[in-house]
Amino acid sequence: MSLLSRRVPQALALLATLAGPSAYAGSGLHFVENRKQWADPVKFRAEIPGGSVYLTCSGFVYDWHSAADLRRAHDALETTSRASKPAPAVPVRGHAVFVDFVDAAPTGAPVGREQEKTYHNYFFGNDPARWASNVALFGEVRYSGLYPGTDLRVYGTEPGGLKYDFEVQPGGHPEAIALRYRGTDGLQVQPDGTLLVHTSVTDVVEQRPYAYQLVQGQRRAVPCRYRLSGNLLHYEFPQGYDPATTLVIDPAVVACTYSGGAGETWGAASGYDAAGNIYSAGFAQTPGFPVTPGAYQNAYQGGTEVAISKFSPTGSQLLYATYLGGAGVDEVRALRTSATGDLYVLTQTSSSNFPVTAGCYDPSANGNVDLAITRFNATGTSLLGSTYLGGLYSDYGTELALTSTGVVVTGNTTSDNFPTTAGAYDRTLSGQDVLVASLSQSLTTLQWSTFLGGSVGNAETANSLQVETNGNILVAGATNAPDFPVTPGALRTTYAAPGDGFVARLQADGRALLASTFIGSLLGIDQVQKLGLDAEGNVVVCGTAGGVGVLEATPGALALAGNVFVAKLNKALTSQFFLAKPVNFSFSQPTALGVDACGNIHLAGFDGGGQPLLNPLPGTGTTGGVYLTTLSAAGNARLFGSYFGPSVQHAHGPAHRFDAQGKLYHSICTTSSFITTVSAYSPIRRSSGFDMLTFKIDQASSASTLVQATVAAVDSVCAPATVTFANTSTGSSSFLWNFADGTAPSTDKNPVHLFQNPGTYRVRLVALGTGTGCSRNDTTYVTVRVKSRPTVTLPRNQVLCPGGSLTLTAAASPGTTYRWNTGATTAGIRITQPGKYVVTVSNGSCTTRDSTVVLQPALARLPADTTGCVSGGVRLRAQAAPGSTYLWSTQATTPEIVATTSGRYTVRVTQGGCTEEKTVTVNLRRPILPPNVITPNGDGDNDFFKPDQDVLEPGTRLRLYNRWGRQVYATDNYRNDWNAAEQPAGVYYYTLENELFCTPASKGWVEVVK
């Protein structure tokens, strides 16, 4: 049968274009989420004509039913219903077909989109764990990243049929899509291009695949057909397709402005921040550089100073400008900005009075030339830190980079006392070595510092620096030391005279060399001048190789007859993906290298003319002062090439930047007349000599914006407040949030952020562009109003004495109302019972709760009235809570005393502020000591058995036994009158009892001597 209502045409939708025209937001197909009402592999289920379809993480499951069987069952039920009889069992045949996503990425569960207002409830079986209520329904389901660069969108047609589209992004691989059909009775691609799926209950026809691309906003069909191999289905494009169609590359100069100063300023370094603001720095040679109010240093200080400008993203506004330096020569070498907009500046200085901050690592100059590292706040109005770093001789800085804990700088030194740290990789200088040092963010602590170099008499130069995501440090440059340290297995471990480039990786704490390699030709003098990192952590280098024809490009890579090379090395520095030679000999100096989010490699530098042009900047020609080019990630194609500005230009430093989007931020030193942008802050050169020209070039600014940053509004909250942001951006999976409260940025999609203090925060969301087309970032803002929460404090450690009362008072901020858990609405309450007391206070916008626990100490305990022996006394112990104090009637202050006389004893116990008295009566009895010999000879001395010399207490019971155990005497009221009359001499045994004795019962022996 025909299955037009179940047709499944495919769509090749590049650059996240919209789905096909037969997808309706209000289609008759509903995808019901699985909330354990179905088997666990099921994520969604939908009813389709003739059966059902289940969506799992790994594919579809079609469940077809026999229409004829269902009709027979229906008819049988109808017949028996009329007769009020049970319906007979009618077999209904079904057939399940499994469609597996072969070699698909483990993307996790598919996600429902376009949730409907209605819901379902499911109560299957008697296991409540399998019941589900308020189960959501969706209009479509999406599998993101199912195949490389490919999403799968599943939705319905208006009549209720099933459709699914594979949306292939630029750079995706539709040939990777493979569907395995299991459980069919046969598959066949028919002459009309449709796919016939045989089952035991029906034949299902999947329509001929349909693919298209957007070209100038119009849908252009791309010929597509099925290719069936056994039960494996692929898609073919017999006429091919454009993997980057719809991305129009139309470069533009975003900003171009002079410094605006009348004096000479020589451009040297450039930078940018997350908002796209432009930073430039140079050497100010004469007074006249413009300084905005609030800048750090408002007066020109002679010599060569560092002149810093911060322009708006379009160069139309000077946000701040300042001088930085001392009485000597101060040359800026590099700029970097933090996520919060603070600017770090690396300066090479001979000034003995360079500005430093209190508590900095090194407040004084050290030698001929020192490094100076400075940190400005985001508005450029104050120094957050500034310090010297150097030794006795000359120390030269070349680059800096930011880490999670501070700033790393590199350069070269001839100072054998340049500060290094305990445990550093190399603390011994050998001639001129590379220096690598890390300082804290406040520039108050040298976290670590090390040398890097070969033997004495040779020299190393550091040119570039990068910080990897794990904190390890990459440094690159040049060496003429054959024993420069390289690691086993590196790309090249043998030095090639007369000079070699190098790339080295230091451990994040500077204690170990993790990887190091030579790189360059085998004949000339080589050096690595620039470093970059792609998203996978591979290392991209740009350098120069001396000599003609001494370094060849790898097969397939760009190969011009120049001495500049660009190479990509693996992360371990053990192998090379490619080495390209993208420019000819007129390219004199690389000044910027960048790897964008798409892996494309951007290069800029000074040139003399004759380089390849591709989609050049408007108004430029075949020569110019600055040449820009972009290489593909594989180094085998040129994506852009253009000159900018008049010929013969220069800068006084090579530290200029590309951002992650491939935008170039550059400054130069020039006397030329440039065509500045329309809104430039300074459209003309006011200096009679050299001036600093700053420009920003976006190579694809007119490309269609595929990324849209949107975020849901946030209701007012009370401080401290945890806010969960709802990011509704489209076209991006990478984000950067700035919460405007001084905390670190976040890259989460939907971050949860704690605002500690009241205030109004303008939170910025940047949705980062994605795809090989390098779609551009998009920025939006959301305002978060954090209101003040009233303060309230209840007293702690309150103790309620038995039978007493106390008052609890809520110390709260003015203008608040109160509600206690007792129902009271006053600021204070009087209580007579222990327990937990809670008060809620409100200032009309926010509420605060506080609670306290009122304790009542247990009554102190003493032993009951007691009796003991006079000889040992009686121990009396008062039991009370820890920390209690004691005062006995004997004046003792310990919990326990010994009563040595009969009488009443009183103790006063104080615990938790409560005092009580307890009394105990002690009766001490004398001990009884019977003799063990009597001599009843009538001399009046020891004639009688007397257990005590005094009269015994009444009721004393005595029993006497001879040696054979026969009782010879017994009385229940002994009066000290037994003298063994009528008994022979010998040993007699007794028992003596009286409850009034200290020892109520005793026994022993007595010898009678006659």
Side-chain angles (χ1 to χ4, degrees):
M1 70 177 187
S2 172
L3 189 62
L4 295 179
S5 59
R6 291 200 296 270
R7 67 186 188 277
V8 277
Q10 316 302 305
L12 176 65
L14 297 187
L15 296 175
T17 52
L18 298 176
S22 56
Y24 295 86
S27 72
L29 199 61
H30 310 285
F31 295 91
V32 185
E33 68 174 344
N34 183 17
R35 296 260 299 276
K36 296 189 177 181
Q37 72 269 27
W38 297 308
D40 290 341
V42 177
K43 301 304 176 184
F44 295 89
R45 178 180 183 270
E47 297 291 336
I48 57 178
S52 306
V53 61
Y54 297 89
L55 309 187
T56 72
C57 292
S58 59
F60 303 154
V61 178
Y62 294 101
D63 183 16
W64 305 113
H65 305 139
S66 167
D69 291 350
L70 288 171
R71 180 58 183 268
R72 285 194 296 271
H74 167 269
D75 292 346
L77 175 62
E78 185 178 19
T79 300
T80 55
S81 295
R82 285 196 297 265
S84 299
K85 295 180 180 179
V90 178
V92 177
R93 293 169 296 151
H95 197 119
V97 175
F98 284 65
V99 182
D100 303 327
F101 305 141
V102 179
D103 295 331
T107 58
V111 177
R113 300 282 183 88
E114 299 180 9
Q115 183 172 347
E116 301 174 12
K117 294 182 179 180
T118 188
Y119 58 87
H120 287 182
N121 302 309
Y122 294 90
F123 299 93
F124 294 153
N126 60 1
D127 182 3
R130 309 299 295 190
W131 299 346
S133 300
N134 295 303
V135 178
L137 283 68
F138 299 89
E140 71 175 56
V141 174
R142 181 173 289 270
Y143 294 76
S144 296
L146 186 63
Y147 289 96
T150 302
D151 296 346
L152 175 61
R153 174 176 173 245
V154 187
Y155 54 103
T157 65
E158 191 172 27
L162 179 72
K163 288 193 65 179
Y164 55 88
D165 294 346
F166 286 103
E167 298 177 347
V168 182
Q169 306 295 331
H173 301 283
E175 65 273 11
I177 300 170
L179 304 178
R180 179 186 293 113
Y181 283 70
R182 292 187 291 129
T184 72
D185 286 348
L187 293 171
Q188 180 182 355
V189 176
Q190 302 189 100
D192 62 355
T194 59
L195 177 68
L196 181 62
V197 183
H198 295 285
T199 75
S200 62
V201 297
T202 185
D203 284 343
V204 181
V205 177
E206 294 191 10
Q207 294 297 304
R208 178 178 178 176
Y210 168 67
Y212 65 90
Q213 294 180 308
L214 288 181
V215 178
Q216 297 180 351
Q218 301 296 317
R219 184 175 299 180
R220 182 182 69 184
V222 176
C224 179
R225 65 192 180 196
Y226 293 126
R227 175 169 59 85
L228 187 62
S229 301
N231 64 345
L232 200 61
L233 187 69
H234 291 274
Y235 299 90
E236 289 184 336
F237 302 89
Q239 298 181 20
Y241 66 95
D242 184 355
T245 297
T246 75
L247 178 62
V248 179
I249 299 176
D250 188 7
V253 178
V254 177
C256 181
T257 181
Y258 290 92
S259 73
E264 290 198 14
T265 305
W266 302 349
S270 308
Y272 63 91
D273 62 20
N277 295 312
I278 309 164
Y279 296 78
S280 61
F283 310 157
Q285 299 300 314
T286 56
F289 187 83
V291 179
T292 57
Y296 168 70
Q297 189 173 320
N298 290 324
Y300 182 78
Q301 197 172 333
T304 299
E305 308 294 338
V306 176
I308 302 172
S309 299
K310 177 181 178 181
F311 294 99
S312 62
T314 60
S316 60
Q317 182 181 0
L318 178 64
L319 303 179
Y320 73 72
T322 191
Y323 294 112
L324 176 69
V329 176
D330 309 296
E331 298 178 353
V332 61
R333 290 304 176 203
L335 307 175
R336 294 277 188 182
T337 58
S338 70
T340 57
D342 295 344
L343 176 67
Y344 288 80
V345 182
L346 175 62
T347 305
Q348 186 172 289
T349 180
S350 64
S351 297
S352 60
N353 62 338
F354 192 89
V356 295
T357 50
C360 69
Y361 166 69
D362 184 357
S364 58
N366 300 281
N368 299 329
V369 179
D370 283 337
L371 277 65
I373 302 95
T374 305
R375 178 187 175 192
F376 286 95
N377 68 346
T379 59
T381 55
S382 67
L383 287 179
L384 303 181
S386 188
T387 185
Y388 283 101
L389 180 65
L392 182 62
Y393 299 106
S394 296
D395 313 297
Y396 302 98
T398 55
E399 184 58 290
L400 86 163
L402 304 187
T403 71
S404 60
T405 60
V407 57
V408 178
V409 298
T410 192
N412 322 304
T413 181
T414 58
S415 300
D416 54 8
N417 68 333
F418 185 92
T420 58
T421 51
Y425 166 68
D426 184 357
R427 304 190 69 187
T428 303
L429 185 75
S430 302
Q432 175 179 300
D433 278 354
V434 169
L435 65 90
V436 186
S438 175
L439 293 104
S440 61
Q441 292 177 340
S442 61
L443 304 179
T444 58
T445 304
L446 183 65
Q447 296 173 327
W448 58 265
S449 178
T450 185
F451 296 121
L452 179 64
S455 61
V456 176
N458 294 289
E460 282 79 28
T461 301
N463 294 325
S464 191
L465 181 73
Q466 288 285 342
V467 177
E468 297 180 298
T469 56
N470 59 6
N472 291 336
I473 308 300
L474 284 171
V475 62
T479 180
N480 62 4
D483 60 347
F484 181 90
V486 293
T487 50
L491 175 67
R492 182 154 63 80
T493 58
T494 302
Y495 172 76
D500 239 341
F502 71 85
V503 181
R505 174 181 292 111
L506 288 166
Q507 192 168 281
D509 58 6
R511 289 176 172 267
L513 182 67
L514 302 181
S516 181
T517 184
F518 294 113
I519 186 170
S521 69
L522 300 179
L523 298 176
I525 299 176
D526 311 317
Q527 62 175 317
V528 177
Q529 295 170 304
K530 294 293 178 182
L531 277 173
L533 292 168
D534 68 11
E536 289 73 37
N538 298 314
V539 180
V540 178
V541 300
C542 176
T544 56
V548 178
V550 295
L551 186 65
E552 300 295 332
T554 54
L558 294 178
L560 273 68
N563 61 358
V564 173
F565 64 88
V566 173
K568 181 188 288 188
L569 312 183
N570 69 343
K571 189 172 183 178
L573 305 182
T574 57
S575 63
Q576 177 177 275
F577 293 100
F578 69 85
L579 186 147
K581 300 184 70 174
V583 291
N584 61 37
F585 279 105
S586 65
F587 191 90
S588 59
Q589 181 188 9
T591 56
L593 178 76
V595 183
D596 64 27
C598 310
N600 299 326
I601 301 166
H602 303 270
L603 176 64
F606 297 114
D607 190 88
Q611 300 294 350
L613 304 179
L614 180 63
N615 197 20
L617 295 165
T620 58
T622 57
T623 61
V626 179
Y627 179 71
L628 305 84
T629 190
T630 301
L631 282 65
S632 65
N636 58 357
R638 190 181 309 277
L639 307 180
F640 171 76
S642 178
Y643 284 98
F644 175 71
S647 299
V648 190
Q649 303 298 330
H650 70 283
H652 292 266
H656 306 273
R657 312 290 185 204
F658 283 98
D659 66 14
Q661 296 294 313
K663 299 185 184 75
L664 173 65
Y665 300 78
H666 209 298
S667 57
I668 61 174
C669 179
T670 186
T671 58
S672 301
S673 296
F674 278 72
I675 300 175
T676 57
T677 47
V678 174
S679 60
Y681 165 72
S682 180
I684 60 173
R685 178 173 56 89
R686 293 186 172 91
S687 169
S688 59
F690 287 97
D691 196 6
M692 180 166 63
L693 182 89
T694 302
F695 52 92
K696 173 181 177 181
I697 295 178
D698 184 353
Q699 300 179 26
S701 63
S702 62
S704 58
T705 300
L706 305 175
V707 177
Q708 184 175 6
T710 55
V711 60
V714 177
D715 294 334
S716 296
V717 292
C718 300
T722 298
V723 176
T724 300
F725 291 91
N727 183 352
T728 55
S729 302
T730 57
S732 176
S733 59
S734 299
F735 306 96
L736 183 64
W737 295 80
N738 186 302
F739 301 107
D741 61 353
T743 59
S746 172
T747 57
D748 294 342
K749 179 179 181 181
N750 297 298
V752 178
H753 185 71
L754 175 63
F755 291 92
Q756 291 280 8
N757 302 312
T760 299
Y761 301 93
R762 191 167 184 249
V763 177
R764 183 180 71 216
L765 166 63
V766 181
L768 303 178
T770 59
T772 56
C774 291
S775 55
R776 320 315 282 171
N777 295 351
D778 193 32
T779 302
T780 190
Y781 295 85
V782 61
T783 298
V784 178
R785 293 178 175 85
V786 182
K787 297 183 177 181
S788 297
R789 193 183 297 273
T791 58
V792 60
T793 303
L794 288 179
R796 298 293 191 266
N797 304 317
Q798 296 297 291
V799 176
L800 178 65
C801 297
S805 65
L806 61 83
T807 299
L808 292 179
T809 301
S813 48
T816 56
T817 60
Y818 305 85
R819 179 165 295 277
W820 294 81
N821 60 339
T822 64
T825 57
T826 56
I829 58 173
R830 190 167 186 81
I831 63 171
T832 59
Q833 297 294 326
K836 182 177 181 179
Y837 291 86
V838 182
V839 65
T840 301
V841 300
S842 172
N843 60 7
S845 299
C846 301
T847 61
T848 301
R849 289 163 52 94
D850 195 19
S851 64
T852 189
V853 176
V854 177
L855 302 176
Q856 189 172 72
L859 296 175
R861 290 185 298 164
L862 277 179
D865 294 349
T866 186
T867 300
C869 299
V870 172
S871 60
V874 174
R875 291 185 179 276
L876 300 179
R877 181 174 182 82
Q879 294 182 321
S884 299
T885 60
Y886 307 86
L887 180 62
W888 294 84
S889 52
T890 64
Q891 301 305 306
T893 58
T894 56
E896 182 178 275
I897 63 172
V898 177
T900 58
T901 61
S902 297
R904 290 170 59 86
Y905 291 83
T906 301
V907 63
R908 177 175 294 176
V909 180
T910 301
Q911 49 182 347
C914 300
T915 301
E916 58 179 316
E917 288 189 355
K918 295 286 185 177
T919 301
V920 61
T921 300
V922 175
N923 184 14
L924 298 180
R925 297 171 178 172
R926 58 191 176 86
I928 300 299
L929 302 172
N932 57 10
V933 175
I934 63 173
T935 56
N937 55 10
D939 62 358
D941 186 14
N942 199 28
D943 287 334
F944 295 93
F945 177 69
K946 292 183 178 181
D948 191 77
Q949 296 302 316
D950 299 325
V951 178
L952 291 174
E953 284 80 353
T956 299
R957 298 179 295 278
L958 176 64
R959 304 290 187 268
L960 286 160
Y961 304 89
N962 63 16
R963 58 187 299 182
W964 293 283
R966 184 173 64 86
Q967 182 174 295
V968 298
Y969 181 81
T971 181
D972 290 336
N973 192 22
Y974 184 61
R975 312 302 285 176
N976 286 342
D977 54 1
W978 184 76
N979 61 358
E982 301 178 356
Q983 299 295 329
V987 176
Y988 293 84
Y989 300 90
Y990 67 85
T991 62
L992 186 67
E993 298 176 344
N994 194 321
E995 288 75 10
L996 300 178
F997 292 165
C998 178
T999 305
S1002 61
K1003 58 184 178 179
W1005 58 270
V1006 61
E1007 182 179 1
V1008 177
V1009 178
K1010 290 187 177 182

